[in-house]
Amino acid sequence: MSTTLLAAPAAVSAASLAHRYQQVRQRTVLLCQPLLPEDTVVQPMIDVSPPKWHLAHVTWFFETFLLKAYLPGYSVYHPEYAFLFNSYYNSLGSRVNRADRGTLSRPALADVYSYRAHVDAQMARLLELADTLPDTFRELFELGLQHEQQHQELLATDIKYILSTSPLAPAYLPASVAPAAATAAPAVAWLPVPGGVSRIGYEGTGFCFDNEQAPHDVLTPDFELQNRLVTNGEYLAFMEAGGYQDFRYWLGEGWDLVQTQGWEAPLYWTLHEGQWHRFTHHGLQPVNMAAPVTHVSFYEADAYAHWAGARLPTEPEWEVAARYFGATPTHGTFLESNLLDPQPLPTDADPTRCHQLLGDAWEWTYSAYHPYPGYVRAAGALGEYNGKFMINQLVLRGGSCATPVSHIRLTYRNFFHADKRWQFTGIRLAR
Amino acid sequence: MSTTLLAAPAAVSAASLAHRYQQVRQRTVLLCQPLLPEDTVVQPMIDVSPPKWHLAHVTWFFETFLLKAYLPGYSVYHPEYAFLFNSYYNSLGSRVNRADRGTLSRPALADVYSYRAHVDAQMARLLELADTLPDTFRELFELGLQHEQQHQELLATDIKYILSTSPLAPAYLPASVAPAAATAAPAVAWLPVPGGVSRIGYEGTGFCFDNEQAPHDVLTPDFELQNRLVTNGEYLAFMEAGGYQDFRYWLGEGWDLVQTQGWEAPLYWTLHEGQWHRFTHHGLQPVNMAAPVTHVSFYEADAYAHWAGARLPTEPEWEVAARYFGATPTHGTFLESNLLDPQPLPTDADPTRCHQLLGDAWEWTYSAYHPYPGYVRAAGALGEYNGKFMINQLVLRGGSCATPVSHIRLTYRNFFHADKRWQFTGIRLAR
Amino acid sequence: MSTTLLAAPAAVSAASLAHRYQQVRQRTVLLCQPLLPEDTVVQPMIDVSPPKWHLAHVTWFFETFLLKAYLPGYSVYHPEYAFLFNSYYNSLGSRVNRADRGTLSRPALADVYSYRAHVDAQMARLLELADTLPDTFRELFELGLQHEQQHQELLATDIKYILSTSPLAPAYLPASVAPAAATAAPAVAWLPVPGGVSRIGYEGTGFCFDNEQAPHDVLTPDFELQNRLVTNGEYLAFMEAGGYQDFRYWLGEGWDLVQTQGWEAPLYWTLHEGQWHRFTHHGLQPVNMAAPVTHVSFYEADAYAHWAGARLPTEPEWEVAARYFGATPTHGTFLESNLLDPQPLPTDADPTRCHQLLGDAWEWTYSAYHPYPGYVRAAGALGEYNGKFMINQLVLRGGSCATPVSHIRLTYRNFFHADKRWQFTGIRLAR
Amino acid sequence: MSTTLLAAPAAVSAASLAHRYQQVRQRTVLLCQPLLPEDTVVQPMIDVSPPKWHLAHVTWFFETFLLKAYLPGYSVYHPEYAFLFNSYYNSLGSRVNRADRGTLSRPALADVYSYRAHVDAQMARLLELADTLPDTFRELFELGLQHEQQHQELLATDIKYILSTSPLAPAYLPASVAPAAATAAPAVAWLPVPGGVSRIGYEGTGFCFDNEQAPHDVLTPDFELQNRLVTNGEYLAFMEAGGYQDFRYWLGEGWDLVQTQGWEAPLYWTLHEGQWHRFTHHGLQPVNMAAPVTHVSFYEADAYAHWAGARLPTEPEWEVAARYFGATPTHGTFLESNLLDPQPLPTDADPTRCHQLLGDAWEWTYSAYHPYPGYVRAAGALGEYNGKFMINQLVLRGGSCATPVSHIRLTYRNFFHADKRWQFTGIRLAR
């Protein structure tokens, strides 16, 4: 991994590295605390990984890239764990088929926690040596933490999917965390964004993923962007207008899915006694019409945009606009709020400002996840981190209610296939 | 369910019914005691059900067919449990897809035990009324117990499969239960069985399944039967003679499986440092060459027989022989032994007697599982218990080391598809 | 191939061998004459082979087993034809995947006819030497002819399927061959068949397939058999009584097919302007209610029998009854009639006799296609002719309107999987 | 269809419209002339359509969009043909499943030619009225011709695939058309292309597809482009360097295909007696190392580029470069040459010029096939022509040896999924 791709973190003391390590690692454990051992094992669809696997995989990442590389005399905790908890690194050998992660009851959850404790203890030892280690150590350490934060978001969404499969509709959040109250969303406004040549991509000195580089100029047209996310209420109007029954709004491959999968609403929506409900981290709840719509595929986002006489923004447009509007995470909903659902915009939100750009819901763009000009895939296993996925996926921007706030950036490029719905994916319109 | 199909159990006191109920029900719980909650959730292949599901399904059977039918004022424990724990009864409504049983983390294992406790308490109340209830109640009660015993065998084999999928090869049995010591098997002998017209099928006054009826005459030829099961050592000779590489020994559909599944040994066999091992309830163990071979499909049993210049017995031949030799469960290995593996025949076993007919391993016959003459499918849900499976499966006879000893009979008809290998299925040759 | 399995044909002159060869070979060509080259190429489902493939495969059979073996100096017509036209003989090397037969446009139909002409000319030369050749030659020669007759039946049914896929519903038969007129079927009668020990299997001195041997005793109960095949009208009553909507009549695997395949009538039935029609070799025709129902799977035959309060006969019962009633092909409908549909029984047919046992429609039995006692698989490639299919299929008896009359026998064992419907398969009830 | 999307053809006389119609239509028939009826029916993979279907589908296009719309009193040739020959227009009703096109032997090839003759005669009548018809008529007429030219390219590549499946490796081209002689390719040169803001997309007054609009500015960096296509010899060096065995060169989804499909060379390559051959329209031929490599997927093109230390151009880069170099079809190989294979560049080709930009082989770009800014999907059935495919495909540029020369433009956007290999797809490197 080259220092030109992952900027080295600013020089910080070993103690503060250890503190940050503990904080990130603890958040993962906290996320799993409401779960039963049974919940941590299953894989109800191939995109979802068992929470037990997440807990171990992020630990394996530290063991493999840091302890084995930098801690003198370290030997692995268990010889089979690399086979069990390697995700997709061909450089690191064979591994359990992705579709079979949910067939493994062992190692038990308690064993995985022991593994975490072991690696944490060894990492503490290693971090004491931090000042003696090369820059690449700090880069890899930061990457390990960012990697674990990515899995925190996946944990939040995978847990939701896991619990949703039971007809018992169990709640993950305690009753003390109330769902957002139903209100009216403020009217949407179109905000102009001037065109021209702008620079996008990461240029700072902190951490970024290699896919955010190299920074480069883009040319965008004059366009307008909606000042908030599309709401459940607006999306319901599309549904009630026959949106899922009219092929004219849809891309061909999306229309095929509507037919074969029987889509007629976003994921997690269900009619219950004549009223639309959604499965949430609170269990089944009436749909809050003022809240942003989520769990829609790119196909649904695009079809909605067609129906609404608008379109989705491109990736360069989104980043240019976000910089233009000076988006910051100040107001968004992130993982730390523990709300785990995007929140309605207050009725009195300023109509001249652009809201919800960071946090709440990932925003589908109509841009393929391809390499930026000047992108270079790293050598070794970390070259597989991002680069090999740069085909057949679309870029999403802005983070969601399940993204750790310290993990998001204006330049952050998330990516999913057009048919995926289990993430907090939403819609913002352009024209 | 007609009384002509399931003979009513002999009149016994309500107290002894309750005692038997507790014994059977407790055995199921004992079988699951060595498991972690994680082990009880997964379904690594479609034939295997999660132990949690077994625990609940057998309980649902009592709730549905006894408590709901006979206990005044009984209301179901949970309205969704019929959907979750109905196995295959179309008469009783929709249900979870069989392939999705392993995707459900909830209800939790503890909830399932609460469900068992609730049903057990209500069954105790109901059994106090036993003397006032019609004969069909006693029949259904007995059927519920026999049904639970069938699931005990499935639990033993499903648990084995579940634990086998982990590269950690965890042991289910405590170290205090030692695997059988390696010895030499006594030489095999061919025992003649005289032909003629004989009667098979259940004629007694105890319990039997409807598929064991009506009793009827069959005509069998003079033939010879081997006096013990084929051993691992004998089967290894077939393997080493190229049995899995020579299509001439195989049925066409079997040969296709050899190719597409890459079969080259029985299920659970693996080469470990140049020596054949088997995954067992003790974890990975060297193959005991004197013990009966198990976990072979019908195709493998038939190919072995071809190679050995012999054949598999038909179902009538097996039952006629078993009656002729006076087979009793005295010497076989059954579930209650807690050995969970067929045992080698003692070196000094009497060569003039026929051994291992009951217990140790189910014996594949070359007879289709079709209705006996005079078989009548029962009305209602219980008509789905056996009758609807009478196609494309083969009969196995004799019970195995995972069968409760009180559950087996000379007339018992077990049945599996020809490709199944996860049961304790073995081979006895005829000619 | 052992002479104990295929009885040698009676000594006949070389000239009469040649005459018979020409007759059989010519019939195949006549069957294909109404086809366009386009019709001879396609494979609309895996069970169907392109007519061009049939024409070449039966020719390859003579080339491989006779010319190569017995004609001095013979070299194969084309080195790739063994790969292209071997059906399923592992002994004879690799071959085109069965599912890909319909992807091959070459060799062209004209090339295949040239191949036939070449082999026919060489066979003429070989037959001149017949008196000098060993008995096995005559056996193989007879087998080649019987094999070609089997493919004549398949040609008739595959052509029907091929033409049926087009919405143009083209007719194969000329208008001069009229479909049977609609009449009323005579009332059905139950004929008693006395039970006891009887002999079945082929015992004569003519040709039989190895699967008809060894002849052996069977024990059958007293039972009754219907004196004619079930008609379309009777089957329609089952449909109108909700037969396809009520799982209670169905075997489990059959009910799954009803659901997943959307079965609601026999194959080829379609509602056209409110009236049931069938696709036939005449194109689309109104269903003749007096004619025997055909193109039903075993599952449908069995479900119909359940609904009618009866059952299907077993294979021993069928043969015992056919011998008892002295069935002969005198009155049945066979391939030579060129009617290609089973014919209604005349209204005045004698109610005390058993009709339609030979010809018209293959009759599903509730017996698995397993080896007879004493059956021995031949050595070499011909051991693959029948023996390797003896699993997961059911026996059908009696021949159909697409069977050459000289090909059928009372002991003839046909076999198909329970879900197959594209053959002329029908129903006769027992009780 | 709006006149802003498809520019109206220049005013021309009715006579010259008729002349052009005949020329285009005749070319299609000429392409099919070497085929046997058998060749025109089969569909050996889902992407390939039977030639018979192509012949009919392009005819149906004229019938549907022109004759039905503009010829007074026209009634369709056959009521089922819309079902049989509609490709993918939901607006125009149900149709044969794409995967089933190769199962239909009827209508016969001769019937399809009759259909063509009928439509041609009616089109002649309609064209006599051309001066009285609105502008949209001329637009649709031109679209019909362009559509037929697209299918001419598909015919050439589908025919190649169809003939390739036979082990007989039949030749399509007559022996009088010789394959290109083996020579040495001239050394490759890198040509600089200056960056900046440029305009791409169609701006002229002739015909273009709606996906080439709206014209718009793009910003491209300074970059270099190779002055010719990558040759078979260069690609073989990649293969011999282990390119198909090293995951590091590959996108993840591409590497999966290498594994599961067993790719180890471009499509149609095969080792024959130790030497690489390709299946061509001449049958099997030794690989000409100087000729451009074709029949590579995007994954292979991208992996080759990685291995060569370069990359694929983006779509804007390609068009900017093609305009910069003044690419014209003067020198390329097109359908009309009847060579049906890209030709080697002459050894003495000017190294300062950019060759083969138009014709010979489609060039994969690393740009997704998404709508241009300002793209508007047309109303009605023609809105399905291009717009609904704008997801999960990549843009290819420049045309191939199977593209009619009058059909290609610098702005032409072709598109295929990344795994497709049956088109004449090649590689040009950028850096």
Side-chain angles (χ1 to χ4, degrees), chain D residues 316-351:
Chain D
E317 286 172 346
W318 193 95
E319 185 167 330
V320 166
R323 290 170 182 257
Y324 177 73
F325 293 123
T328 65
T330 320
H331 302 293
T333 312
F334 293 94
L335 181 66
E336 288 79 358
S337 72
N338 205 30
L339 296 170
L340 291 175
D341 229 3
Q343 300 298 301
L345 200 61
T347 322
D348 59 353
D350 181 350

Tab-separated table of all heavy atoms in Angstrom, chain D residues 316-351:
chain	number	residue	atom	x	y	z
D	316	PRO	N	-15.290	9.349	-23.409
D	316	PRO	CA	-14.953	10.697	-23.895
D	316	PRO	C	-13.547	10.758	-24.490
D	316	PRO	O	-13.336	11.380	-25.532
D	316	PRO	CB	-15.069	11.560	-22.633
D	316	PRO	CG	-15.992	10.812	-21.738
D	316	PRO	CD	-15.728	9.357	-22.012
D	317	GLU	N	-12.593	10.092	-23.854
D	317	GLU	CA	-11.242	10.076	-24.416
D	317	GLU	C	-11.247	9.506	-25.830
D	317	GLU	O	-10.585	10.012	-26.736
D	317	GLU	CB	-10.304	9.247	-23.530
D	317	GLU	CG	-9.904	9.942	-22.236
D	317	GLU	CD	-9.144	9.021	-21.287
D	317	GLU	OE1	-9.156	7.781	-21.495
D	317	GLU	OE2	-8.552	9.530	-20.313
D	318	TRP	N	-11.965	8.412	-26.018
D	318	TRP	CA	-11.970	7.775	-27.330
D	318	TRP	C	-12.514	8.725	-28.386
D	318	TRP	O	-11.922	8.902	-29.447
D	318	TRP	CB	-12.786	6.475	-27.283
D	318	TRP	CG	-12.565	5.632	-28.504
D	318	TRP	CD1	-11.691	4.605	-28.656
D	318	TRP	CD2	-13.212	5.788	-29.782
D	318	TRP	NE1	-11.748	4.097	-29.924
D	318	TRP	CE2	-12.673	4.812	-30.649
D	318	TRP	CE3	-14.174	6.659	-30.272
D	318	TRP	CZ2	-13.074	4.671	-31.968
D	318	TRP	CZ3	-14.590	6.534	-31.601
D	318	TRP	CH2	-14.028	5.538	-32.442
D	319	GLU	N	-13.649	9.358	-28.081
D	319	GLU	CA	-14.252	10.204	-29.117
D	319	GLU	C	-13.415	11.454	-29.368
D	319	GLU	O	-13.244	11.875	-30.529
D	319	GLU	CB	-15.695	10.570	-28.739
D	319	GLU	CG	-16.370	11.344	-29.868
D	319	GLU	CD	-17.876	11.482	-29.706
D	319	GLU	OE1	-18.497	10.577	-29.106
D	319	GLU	OE2	-18.427	12.487	-30.176
D	320	VAL	N	-12.877	12.022	-28.293
D	320	VAL	CA	-12.006	13.193	-28.459
D	320	VAL	C	-10.802	12.815	-29.330
D	320	VAL	O	-10.423	13.540	-30.254
D	320	VAL	CB	-11.573	13.733	-27.086
D	320	VAL	CG1	-10.407	14.711	-27.223
D	320	VAL	CG2	-12.761	14.382	-26.379
D	321	ALA	N	-10.208	11.655	-29.061
D	321	ALA	CA	-9.041	11.220	-29.830
D	321	ALA	C	-9.418	10.948	-31.280
D	321	ALA	O	-8.703	11.341	-32.215
D	321	ALA	CB	-8.432	9.966	-29.200
D	322	ALA	N	-10.553	10.303	-31.480
D	322	ALA	CA	-10.954	9.954	-32.846
D	322	ALA	C	-11.187	11.223	-33.664
D	322	ALA	O	-10.839	11.294	-34.849
D	322	ALA	CB	-12.207	9.085	-32.817
D	323	ARG	N	-11.778	12.229	-33.021
D	323	ARG	CA	-11.962	13.507	-33.724
D	323	ARG	C	-10.600	14.173	-33.964
D	323	ARG	O	-10.341	14.739	-35.025
D	323	ARG	CB	-12.852	14.435	-32.893
D	323	ARG	CG	-14.322	13.985	-32.836
D	323	ARG	CD	-15.087	14.813	-31.795
D	323	ARG	NE	-16.486	14.394	-31.682
D	323	ARG	CZ	-17.521	15.062	-32.214
D	323	ARG	NH1	-17.303	16.163	-32.901
D	323	ARG	NH2	-18.741	14.618	-32.057
D	324	TYR	N	-9.748	14.121	-32.960
D	324	TYR	CA	-8.434	14.751	-33.047
D	324	TYR	C	-7.618	14.150	-34.192
D	324	TYR	O	-6.944	14.853	-34.942
D	324	TYR	CB	-7.734	14.574	-31.708
D	324	TYR	CG	-6.322	15.126	-31.651
D	324	TYR	CD1	-6.080	16.495	-31.614
D	324	TYR	CD2	-5.234	14.254	-31.588
D	324	TYR	CE1	-4.779	16.988	-31.533
D	324	TYR	CE2	-3.945	14.728	-31.492
D	324	TYR	CZ	-3.719	16.103	-31.493
D	324	TYR	OH	-2.440	16.573	-31.406
D	325	PHE	N	-7.702	12.818	-34.305
D	325	PHE	CA	-6.941	12.136	-35.353
D	325	PHE	C	-7.679	12.122	-36.688
D	325	PHE	O	-7.180	11.595	-37.678
D	325	PHE	CB	-6.614	10.700	-34.931
D	325	PHE	CG	-5.668	10.632	-33.767
D	325	PHE	CD1	-6.018	9.949	-32.606
D	325	PHE	CD2	-4.420	11.260	-33.817
D	325	PHE	CE1	-5.165	9.885	-31.530
D	325	PHE	CE2	-3.560	11.191	-32.721
D	325	PHE	CZ	-3.927	10.512	-31.582
D	326	GLY	N	-8.875	12.677	-36.687
D	326	GLY	CA	-9.629	12.735	-37.931
D	326	GLY	C	-9.968	11.374	-38.493
D	326	GLY	O	-9.841	11.122	-39.702
D	327	ALA	N	-10.377	10.484	-37.617
D	327	ALA	CA	-10.680	9.114	-38.068
D	327	ALA	C	-11.793	9.112	-39.100
D	327	ALA	O	-12.821	9.761	-38.925
D	327	ALA	CB	-11.087	8.256	-36.867
D	328	THR	N	-11.583	8.372	-40.169
D	328	THR	CA	-12.623	8.153	-41.177
D	328	THR	C	-12.609	6.677	-41.537
D	328	THR	O	-11.616	5.979	-41.306
D	328	THR	CB	-12.347	8.951	-42.461
D	328	THR	OG1	-11.137	8.439	-43.044
D	328	THR	CG2	-12.199	10.440	-42.185
D	329	PRO	N	-13.713	6.192	-42.093
D	329	PRO	CA	-13.767	4.764	-42.425
D	329	PRO	C	-12.967	4.383	-43.664
D	329	PRO	O	-13.074	3.258	-44.140
D	329	PRO	CB	-15.262	4.502	-42.622
D	329	PRO	CG	-15.904	5.814	-42.787
D	329	PRO	CD	-15.007	6.867	-42.249
D	330	THR	N	-12.163	5.265	-44.160
D	330	THR	CA	-11.463	4.976	-45.418
D	330	THR	C	-10.700	3.656	-45.395
D	330	THR	O	-10.746	2.859	-46.323
D	330	THR	CB	-10.460	6.102	-45.738
D	330	THR	OG1	-11.059	7.346	-45.401
D	330	THR	CG2	-10.052	6.049	-47.204
D	331	HIS	N	-9.977	3.412	-44.330
D	331	HIS	CA	-9.048	2.280	-44.340
D	331	HIS	C	-9.520	1.035	-43.585
D	331	HIS	O	-8.879	0.000	-43.662
D	331	HIS	CB	-7.696	2.727	-43.772
D	331	HIS	CG	-7.096	3.865	-44.530
D	331	HIS	ND1	-6.649	3.737	-45.836
D	331	HIS	CD2	-6.905	5.173	-44.203
D	331	HIS	CE1	-6.198	4.910	-46.261
D	331	HIS	NE2	-6.343	5.810	-45.296
D	332	GLY	N	-10.606	1.151	-42.836
D	332	GLY	CA	-10.985	0.028	-41.978
D	332	GLY	C	-11.621	-1.122	-42.732
D	332	GLY	O	-11.980	-1.017	-43.908
D	333	THR	N	-11.756	-2.233	-42.045
D	333	THR	CA	-12.416	-3.412	-42.589
D	333	THR	C	-13.868	-3.415	-42.119
D	333	THR	O	-14.127	-3.370	-40.907
D	333	THR	CB	-11.706	-4.689	-42.102
D	333	THR	OG1	-10.313	-4.526	-42.305
D	333	THR	CG2	-12.226	-5.908	-42.822
D	334	PHE	N	-14.820	-3.484	-43.046
D	334	PHE	CA	-16.240	-3.442	-42.722
D	334	PHE	C	-16.953	-4.637	-43.339
D	334	PHE	O	-16.356	-5.415	-44.086
D	334	PHE	CB	-16.852	-2.129	-43.219
D	334	PHE	CG	-16.324	-0.945	-42.465
D	334	PHE	CD1	-15.240	-0.228	-42.955
D	334	PHE	CD2	-16.866	-0.566	-41.239
D	334	PHE	CE1	-14.723	0.853	-42.255
D	334	PHE	CE2	-16.352	0.507	-40.536
D	334	PHE	CZ	-15.270	1.211	-41.043
D	335	LEU	N	-18.231	-4.722	-43.037
D	335	LEU	CA	-19.024	-5.850	-43.519
D	335	LEU	C	-18.934	-6.028	-45.033
D	335	LEU	O	-18.851	-7.153	-45.530
D	335	LEU	CB	-20.487	-5.644	-43.099
D	335	LEU	CG	-21.470	-6.750	-43.487
D	335	LEU	CD1	-21.144	-8.036	-42.753
D	335	LEU	CD2	-22.904	-6.334	-43.203
D	336	GLU	N	-18.948	-4.900	-45.752
D	336	GLU	CA	-19.034	-4.979	-47.205
D	336	GLU	C	-17.828	-5.694	-47.823
D	336	GLU	O	-17.908	-6.216	-48.932
D	336	GLU	CB	-19.150	-3.578	-47.803
D	336	GLU	CG	-20.509	-2.923	-47.548
D	336	GLU	CD	-20.661	-2.350	-46.158
D	336	GLU	OE1	-19.721	-2.489	-45.336
D	336	GLU	OE2	-21.724	-1.786	-45.871
D	337	SER	N	-16.699	-5.713	-47.105
D	337	SER	CA	-15.513	-6.391	-47.636
D	337	SER	C	-15.705	-7.895	-47.693
D	337	SER	O	-14.952	-8.607	-48.359
D	337	SER	CB	-14.307	-6.086	-46.750
D	337	SER	OG	-14.436	-6.776	-45.507
D	338	ASN	N	-16.693	-8.373	-46.923
D	338	ASN	CA	-16.951	-9.817	-46.831
D	338	ASN	C	-15.743	-10.594	-46.293
D	338	ASN	O	-15.633	-11.802	-46.498
D	338	ASN	CB	-17.380	-10.382	-48.189
D	338	ASN	CG	-18.218	-11.644	-48.028
D	338	ASN	OD1	-18.925	-11.787	-47.027
D	338	ASN	ND2	-18.136	-12.555	-48.986
D	339	LEU	N	-14.838	-9.915	-45.603
D	339	LEU	CA	-13.685	-10.626	-45.022
D	339	LEU	C	-14.039	-11.214	-43.654
D	339	LEU	O	-13.515	-12.244	-43.247
D	339	LEU	CB	-12.491	-9.678	-44.893
D	339	LEU	CG	-11.945	-9.154	-46.229
D	339	LEU	CD1	-10.936	-8.028	-45.992
D	339	LEU	CD2	-11.286	-10.303	-47.004
D	340	LEU	N	-14.881	-10.511	-42.918
D	340	LEU	CA	-15.413	-11.012	-41.636
D	340	LEU	C	-14.316	-11.385	-40.641
D	340	LEU	O	-14.469	-12.325	-39.850
D	340	LEU	CB	-16.373	-12.171	-41.877
D	340	LEU	CG	-17.691	-11.731	-42.561
D	340	LEU	CD1	-18.547	-12.927	-42.899
D	340	LEU	CD2	-18.461	-10.779	-41.646
D	341	ASP	N	-13.235	-10.666	-40.688
D	341	ASP	CA	-12.187	-10.801	-39.681
D	341	ASP	C	-11.369	-9.510	-39.749
D	341	ASP	O	-11.154	-8.982	-40.838
D	341	ASP	CB	-11.283	-12.012	-39.976
D	341	ASP	CG	-11.082	-12.882	-38.732
D	341	ASP	OD1	-11.673	-12.579	-37.673
D	341	ASP	OD2	-10.349	-13.875	-38.820
D	342	PRO	N	-10.937	-8.997	-38.602
D	342	PRO	CA	-10.116	-7.786	-38.653
D	342	PRO	C	-8.789	-8.104	-39.333
D	342	PRO	O	-8.251	-9.201	-39.188
D	342	PRO	CB	-9.928	-7.401	-37.192
D	342	PRO	CG	-10.274	-8.599	-36.412
D	342	PRO	CD	-11.165	-9.458	-37.233
D	343	GLN	N	-8.279	-7.141	-40.072
D	343	GLN	CA	-7.100	-7.387	-40.892
D	343	GLN	C	-5.836	-6.827	-40.236
D	343	GLN	O	-5.897	-5.802	-39.557
D	343	GLN	CB	-7.291	-6.737	-42.266
D	343	GLN	CG	-8.508	-7.276	-43.018
D	343	GLN	CD	-8.387	-8.767	-43.315
D	343	GLN	OE1	-7.456	-9.200	-43.968
D	343	GLN	NE2	-9.320	-9.570	-42.785
D	344	PRO	N	-4.710	-7.489	-40.447
D	344	PRO	CA	-3.451	-6.966	-39.897
D	344	PRO	C	-3.139	-5.615	-40.533
D	344	PRO	O	-3.461	-5.378	-41.698
D	344	PRO	CB	-2.410	-8.001	-40.320
D	344	PRO	CG	-3.164	-9.192	-40.786
D	344	PRO	CD	-4.512	-8.725	-41.222
D	345	LEU	N	-2.509	-4.766	-39.746
D	345	LEU	CA	-2.060	-3.483	-40.268
D	345	LEU	C	-0.862	-3.763	-41.172
D	345	LEU	O	0.009	-4.570	-40.822
D	345	LEU	CB	-1.656	-2.611	-39.084
D	345	LEU	CG	-1.604	-1.102	-39.302
D	345	LEU	CD1	-2.977	-0.558	-39.708
D	345	LEU	CD2	-1.144	-0.434	-38.005
D	346	PRO	N	-0.776	-3.092	-42.337
D	346	PRO	CA	0.401	-3.325	-43.194
D	346	PRO	C	1.683	-2.984	-42.440
D	346	PRO	O	1.713	-2.074	-41.610
D	346	PRO	CB	0.172	-2.342	-44.354
D	346	PRO	CG	-1.283	-2.070	-44.360
D	346	PRO	CD	-1.745	-2.186	-42.942
D	347	THR	N	2.717	-3.717	-42.741
D	347	THR	CA	3.993	-3.542	-42.041
D	347	THR	C	4.519	-2.119	-42.168
D	347	THR	O	5.185	-1.610	-41.261
D	347	THR	CB	5.036	-4.534	-42.611
D	347	THR	OG1	4.384	-5.765	-42.884
D	347	THR	CG2	6.170	-4.754	-41.633
D	348	ASP	N	4.177	-1.491	-43.277
D	348	ASP	CA	4.729	-0.152	-43.507
D	348	ASP	C	3.747	0.951	-43.137
D	348	ASP	O	3.849	2.066	-43.623
D	348	ASP	CB	5.135	-0.022	-44.972
D	348	ASP	CG	3.931	-0.244	-45.886
D	348	ASP	OD1	2.840	-0.623	-45.385
D	348	ASP	OD2	4.075	-0.043	-47.097
D	349	ALA	N	2.779	0.654	-42.286
D	349	ALA	CA	1.797	1.685	-41.916
D	349	ALA	C	2.497	2.834	-41.201
D	349	ALA	O	3.422	2.628	-40.412
D	349	ALA	CB	0.729	1.061	-41.009
D	350	ASP	N	2.020	4.019	-41.459
D	350	ASP	CA	2.642	5.233	-40.919
D	350	ASP	C	2.561	5.227	-39.390
D	350	ASP	O	1.457	5.274	-38.826
D	350	ASP	CB	1.892	6.438	-41.502
D	350	ASP	CG	2.469	7.757	-41.032
D	350	ASP	OD1	3.319	7.753	-40.121
D	350	ASP	OD2	2.048	8.786	-41.588
D	351	PRO	N	3.715	5.187	-38.686
D	351	PRO	CA	3.666	5.080	-37.218
D	351	PRO	C	3.203	6.365	-36.552
D	351	PRO	O	2.921	6.365	-35.358
D	351	PRO	CB	5.111	4.746	-36.845
D	351	PRO	CG	5.944	5.273	-37.960
D	351	PRO	CD	5.106	5.192	-39.194
